[in-house]
Amino acid sequence: MAEKKTLKTVSPHLHEEGQTIERAMKDVLIALVPAAIAALIVYGMNVVYIFAVSMITAALSEIVMRKIFKRKVTLGDMSAMVTAVLFAFLLPPTTPLWVVAIGCFISVAIGKELFGGLGKNIFNPALFGRVAIMLSPLWIYTAKFPKPFFWKSVGFFTPISVGIDETVAGRVVYQTLAGNPVNVVTSATPLSLLKSGKMLTNVVTGPTPVGATWVTSSGKPSLGSLFLGTQAGSIGEISILALLIGAIYLLYKRTIDWRIPAGMIGMFFFIMLVTWNHPLYQLFSGGLVLGAFYMATDWTTSPVSKRAKWIYAFGIGLFVALIRLVSPLPEGVAIAILHWNVLTLLLDRYIAEPKFGQVKKSWFNKLPSYAKTAPAQEKS
Amino acid sequence: MSTKGYKTFKGGIHPPYFKELACGKPITPAPLPDEIRIPMSQHVGAPNEPLVSAGDRVEVGQKIGESQAFISAPVHSSVSGTVKSVEEITVFTGAKAKAVIITPDAEQPAFSGSPAKPVGDLTPEDLRKIARDAGLVGMGGAAFPTHVKLTPPKDKPIDTVIINACECEPFLTCDHRTMLERPEDLIEGLLLLMKAVEAKRGIIGIEANKMDAVELMQRKASGKAELSVEILDVKYPEGAEKQLIFALTGRKVPPGKLPSEVGCLVQNVGTAVALYEAATIGKPLYERVVTVTGNGVKTPSNFLVKVGTPVSTLIEAAGGLVEGTEKVIMGGPMTGWAQADLNAPVVKGTSGIVALTAELVDVREEHACVRCGKCVDVCPMFLMPNFIVDAVKKEEWGKAEMWGALDCFECGCCSYTCPAYIPHVEYVRKAKAEISALKK
């Protein structure tokens, strides 16, 4: 009995049950289910095909990259699946499947694995892939959004994607997998409608009751339809209700930190209010809610300390508002978050968190004097 | 029964406690082993030099090791017997230390001693001397010499003595049992501690999962206006010195400072009782209550154990290990030391022996930090455990200090909650060693 082998490890000897990377990633996937269902209802099976291609590409990309870099394949941690679903969420529902595959490869292989894998990446991988497509010649395939419930005219299960119209330069058409053109009505997103210069007052004071129809008399979606998800937009961003259900689950499970969505949405709301834009309409359209709860909160690419988290969150909210209000772009959540992903490292390094009982509270981290005078000790 | 809403601190964790395994078991004397091995260094500070050599006769309570250094505490023989040898042994931390090995007599006499003075006549100076001579150390685990704590700087008077009866480590019940079985001795010990530092106020802080002890102590302390019994949230590490002072008094001990900075003295239940015994019957600290528990032992128990008793004797006395036990820990499961074998002797700071089966052992390969920030959220010192680890990996010791490596008291909350299974404490210990070498 006494000769039995026992483990000799460092304290602590207990570990919180269920506190693993896999569990957290699975929680994110669970939280994304309502939004995926909303997308399925509004856009039909097209979104499922995109999910499938994205997930398969993500898995293959991770396996290939890990083999190349001779790292252990860790598909089991589910992080590639989260990236795959989030990347798909950022695409229009009619993105050609080969574009999905390229974008997802960029997300996982370059955005994550090339930086060193989960935990080492600087950018949110899904946003990285999405913006890479946006800045490439492939952008044309992801620039048009079909009208909600377009599947009613072409069939729920029919794969529809965007193709280039060979007859008119720069024009795109909708087509089936076989390349036959189909008639699908394109719709402007609420934000591009706003960008086109029409004032918002119609939405606020318009005669249409909330949620009654999908557009108000002025031709813009009503607040209610935005909230439920009958709006033109990327797969995952349309239903605010579905996103909030998932967000509540993640907040309850403490997978994400409430400070980031609160700071980001708070700052955005405030700016929209003082610039006399309708804050709720702005909040419910575009990718702000998706970005605030599922993208900006990404563990690896957001700051760790509480003060830095607030600065990061306010910064993203400010950037999104500025891009929407004063830049030529209709939407800027992805770009704003990627900007602050970079600043995350600086915030973590320099913004100080006061220690317990610290009397002289400083806002900035300072190296102890011996480390400064003996730079040889510091390898960085 | 609610365990929240009482006094507490910020941060920390809620591990499963498993107190029910042993909290109902009265303290019984542990069997006498064939061989007692008493390490010469059982405390923070300078190690002792042995005063005996092979072949010498020793009596129970006889001083067998001493040092001239101020931060040190003498050790005493826990049995009557013959010194077999003085040699190096492996202690619970895995380090080597000089120890006196004693073969105990078959018949052990009861301890007999006499107080230096009637208790009422003792001065603070007398009490400091008694604490030192009796070899008293903090019995919560850190084993800091008590007489040093009883000697605060002249310009920092102490007004409050706190008895740390939180026992926030899961599984352990030795302090709980001591309170239930020896409440008067604890109260008297607290009054002596207050006398030693001339404090006006005494607080006994107990976690809300020991309401029977709370009620008993409240009853015993009633009528003494200077004493109070406070209930604390059940949270780990409620019994960490700085966190406990904050929870009970609202005072914050600054980083790198001692509790005397804010006029407080914190002592463990066992230490207070040991001071009472030393002052009234002249008994040195050579035995203590040890909880032998965990789902890996057959009959969890609380034993009165003679210092120097090997772990194996106690495990046997508790019915032995169950099939599939993977870890045996000396101390609590959050800060204790996992044992490679069962030979290490119990020392003054050993509060428990916890055996865990595979069901509770969750050891995995360390993953790269995913920067989730959970360690930062739970850190009771508000440090950056993940960045300390990062700095240690890059051997940037200045940064490790900047992130708070020196302020860490190794409670282990960070690793407990880490989804990447990073052993932060291991890195922190490395950082502390390297930084202190750099500063020399």
Side-chain angles (χ1 to χ4, degrees):
Chain A
M1 179 86 66
E3 293 313 309
K4 259 188 113 130
K5 268 279 170 224
T6 45
L7 287 171
K8 183 155 173 53
T9 53
V10 179
S11 63
H13 305 288
L14 295 177
H15 193 272
E16 189 171 351
E17 207 184 329
Q19 189 66 266
T20 61
I21 294 171
E22 302 91 270
R23 185 65 237 169
M25 295 295 166
K26 279 178 193 158
D27 279 340
V28 175
L29 288 175
I30 291 169
L32 291 171
V33 167
I37 292 172
L40 179 67
I41 294 167
V42 175
Y43 292 135
M45 280 299 279
N46 238 21
V47 300
V48 176
Y49 307 142
I50 291 179
F51 286 149
V53 169
S54 187
M55 286 162 109
I56 292 167
T57 314
L60 291 177
S61 312
E62 182 162 311
I63 292 169
V64 169
M65 290 302 274
R66 293 221 154 220
K67 290 273 182 229
I68 291 174
F69 288 113
K70 299 197 166 48
R71 293 191 203 118
K72 213 177 98 190
V73 177
T74 50
L75 269 186
D77 72 13
M78 305 298 277
S79 75
M81 293 302 109
V82 169
T83 301
V85 175
L86 285 176
F87 174 72
F89 268 29
L90 297 167
L91 297 169
T94 48
T95 310
L97 297 177
W98 60 274
V99 175
V100 176
I102 291 175
C104 189
F105 174 78
I106 296 173
S107 284
V108 174
I110 299 175
K112 194 173 75 179
E113 291 301 329
L114 206 58
F115 283 95
L118 179 64
K120 305 273 178 65
N121 50 310
I122 293 171
F123 299 103
N124 181 311
L127 290 174
F128 184 87
R130 179 67 183 96
V131 171
I133 295 286
M134 213 156 80
L135 299 178
S136 78
L138 299 178
W139 73 273
I140 189 103
Y141 293 102
T142 63
K144 285 266 183 269
F145 296 86
K147 193 179 161 177
F149 300 108
F150 71 88
W151 52 268
K152 282 179 181 167
S153 60
V154 295
F156 189 74
F157 294 95
T158 319
I160 302 290
S161 63
V162 167
I164 305 287
D165 187 344
E166 304 291 346
T167 55
V168 185
R171 216 179 85 178
V172 292
V173 291
Y174 290 103
Q175 58 190 22
T176 61
L177 272 188
N180 304 319
V182 284
N183 192 18
V184 168
V185 181
T186 299
S187 167
T189 64
L191 287 176
S192 53
L193 281 170
L194 290 177
K195 210 66 189 191
S196 63
K198 291 165 197 152
M199 286 302 292
L200 267 172
T201 42
N202 293 338
V203 180
V204 185
T205 57
T208 319
V210 162
T213 62
W214 105 271
V215 285
T216 61
S217 55
S218 63
K220 297 186 198 75
S222 68
L223 263 185
S225 59
L226 290 184
F227 187 70
L228 291 176
T230 43
Q231 58 168 316
S234 302
I235 292 171
E237 72 186 21
I238 51 173
S239 176
I240 307 304
L241 174 67
L243 288 171
L244 288 180
I245 292 172
I248 289 167
Y249 175 72
L250 287 184
L251 288 170
Y252 168 74
K253 297 284 270 182
R254 298 201 177 205
T255 308
I256 60 172
D257 193 317
W258 63 274
R259 291 174 185 88
I260 291 173
M264 186 173 152
I265 292 173
M267 172 60 89
F268 178 84
F269 206 85
F270 173 75
I271 292 175
M272 288 300 165
L273 211 58
V274 296
T275 55
W276 210 241
N277 284 280
H278 192 284
L280 271 185
Y281 197 87
Q282 281 283 354
L283 179 58
F284 288 174
S285 41
L288 189 75
V289 173
L290 177 65
F293 288 100
Y294 300 91
M295 305 278 179
T297 52
D298 174 36
W299 283 353
T300 304
T301 56
S302 64
V304 169
S305 81
K306 293 184 182 87
R307 274 184 180 171
K309 269 180 184 160
W310 281 116
I311 297 172
Y312 167 88
F314 288 147
I316 297 174
L318 176 72
F319 274 37
V320 177
L322 287 181
I323 292 170
R324 285 195 188 176
L325 293 177
V326 298
S327 85
L329 297 169
E331 170 65 313
V333 174
I335 290 169
I337 294 176
L338 286 175
H339 266 111
W340 282 88
N341 282 168
V342 182
L343 293 171
T344 289
L345 297 174
L346 281 178
L347 289 177
D348 269 341
R349 167 65 181 78
Y350 288 104
I351 302 298
E353 196 75 39
K355 291 170 190 163
F356 177 87
Q358 199 163 337
V359 188
K360 263 179 69 186
K361 292 196 173 85
S362 157
W363 268 90
F364 299 104
N365 279 319
K366 290 185 200 75
L367 280 174
S369 51
Y370 68 86
K372 268 181 254 164
T373 52
Q377 301 293 344
E378 295 283 329
K379 271 198 194 162
S380 68
Chain B
M1 184 178 69
S2 168
T3 54
K4 287 188 185 174
Y6 300 104
K7 296 185 171 183
T8 192
F9 63 99
K10 277 188 199 153
I13 54 171
H14 295 281
Y17 286 93
F18 301 104
K19 298 279 194 188
E20 67 285 354
L21 290 176
C23 72
K25 308 288 179 65
I27 302 167
T28 51
L32 194 69
D34 302 334
E35 191 176 89
I36 287 276
R37 289 177 298 149
I38 303 176
M40 287 295 105
S41 177
Q42 306 185 13
H43 51 263
V44 175
N48 293 302
E49 276 309 313
L51 302 174
V52 292
S53 48
D56 288 358
R57 257 311 291 166
V58 288
E59 297 303 323
V60 61
Q62 179 185 334
K63 195 181 279 181
I64 56 170
E66 199 174 28
S67 159
Q68 294 308 313
F70 177 61
I71 302 184
S72 187
V75 291
H76 302 79
S77 177
S78 55
V79 289
S80 296
T82 318
V83 177
K84 188 177 158 201
S85 60
V86 177
E87 60 184 74
E88 288 240 307
I89 61 159
T90 307
V91 295
F92 67 104
T93 58
K96 298 270 181 203
K98 203 182 275 180
V100 172
I101 318 241
I102 302 168
T103 311
D105 300 340
E107 285 297 311
Q108 287 293 324
F111 174 79
S112 67
S114 55
K117 267 189 197 182
V119 173
D121 299 345
L122 290 170
T123 63
E125 199 47 54
D126 293 336
L127 282 163
R128 281 192 276 275
K129 189 168 180 310
I130 287 172
R132 164 123 206 184
D133 288 344
L136 294 193
V137 299
M139 287 161 76
F144 192 78
T146 303
H147 68 274
V148 181
K149 273 189 166 185
L150 295 181
T151 318
K154 287 270 178 297
D155 56 330
K156 307 236 163 60
I158 285 174
D159 59 12
T160 307
V161 174
I162 295 169
I163 293 295
N164 183 356
C166 296
E167 203 156 51
C168 59
E169 276 265 9
F171 289 100
L172 304 186
T173 57
C174 53
D175 292 348
H176 188 183
R177 287 312 307 179
T178 305
M179 280 190 282
L180 291 180
E181 297 181 27
R182 306 182 62 183
E184 290 91 358
D185 297 358
L186 174 60
I187 299 268
E188 292 303 321
L190 170 56
L191 292 171
L192 286 174
L193 285 167
M194 289 163 63
K195 195 171 191 181
V197 293
E198 295 168 84
K200 298 182 297 292
R201 187 156 69 125
I203 307 175
I204 301 173
I206 308 175
E207 274 193 357
N209 55 2
K210 294 179 266 293
M211 290 312 272
D212 51 350
V214 170
E215 279 159 31
L216 181 65
M217 294 313 300
Q218 271 171 345
R219 210 162 58 236
K220 299 288 177 187
S222 66
K224 295 190 176 65
E226 68 274 33
L227 300 186
S228 62
V229 177
E230 301 278 2
I231 310 170
L232 293 144
D233 261 7
V234 179
K235 185 160 80 166
Y236 177 87
E238 194 77 78
E241 204 166 54
K242 291 182 177 184
Q243 278 60 37
L244 182 61
I245 292 171
F246 173 74
L248 290 175
T249 67
R251 300 176 195 172
K252 289 181 184 171
V253 182
K257 302 284 184 189
L258 296 170
S260 59
E261 192 75 14
V262 295
C264 289
L265 168 72
V266 181
Q267 287 291 0
N268 168 267
V269 170
T271 315
V273 172
L275 177 65
Y276 169 75
E277 287 183 334
T280 51
I281 57 171
K283 180 182 166 188
L285 177 54
Y286 64 78
E287 59 184 4
R288 63 157 300 147
V289 182
V290 177
T291 307
V292 183
T293 179
N295 60 357
V297 292
K298 287 188 181 135
T299 41
S301 319
N302 296 292
F303 292 123
L304 184 63
V305 181
K306 294 189 185 304
V307 166
T309 305
V311 172
S312 51
T313 304
L314 299 179
I315 296 268
E316 257 166 59
L321 295 176
V322 304
E323 200 59 38
T325 298
E326 289 199 344
K327 256 192 199 183
V328 176
I329 302 152
M330 271 184 99
M334 294 302 295
T335 58
W337 299 76
Q339 302 297 304
D341 55 47
L342 304 179
N343 296 327
V346 164
V347 293
K348 295 173 188 174
T350 308
S351 44
I353 292 164
V354 182
L356 302 178
T357 65
E359 197 188 328
L360 288 173
V361 175
D362 188 3
V363 179
R364 296 188 197 190
E365 202 185 329
E366 176 183 349
H367 186 280
C369 172
V370 289
R371 297 169 42 85
C372 65
K374 287 178 192 291
C375 54
V376 178
D377 289 344
V378 298
C379 180
M381 293 303 289
F382 314 156
L383 312 176
M384 297 282 166
N386 56 329
F387 293 147
I388 297 175
V389 171
D390 188 52
V392 171
K393 282 182 177 170
K394 293 175 182 157
E395 300 187 1
E396 296 174 342
W397 309 116
K399 276 191 185 163
E401 181 176 348
M402 182 178 88
W403 298 125
L406 299 184
D407 301 300
C408 172
F409 61 89
E410 304 173 14
C411 66
C413 289
C414 42
S415 304
Y416 174 79
T417 196
C418 179
Y421 285 73
I422 296 170
H424 301 78
V425 174
E426 192 175 348
Y427 289 99
V428 166
R429 287 191 187 137
K430 193 169 175 203
K432 282 178 177 170
E434 293 283 350
I435 293 169
S436 69
L438 260 181
K439 283 184 169 174
K440 262 176 198 158

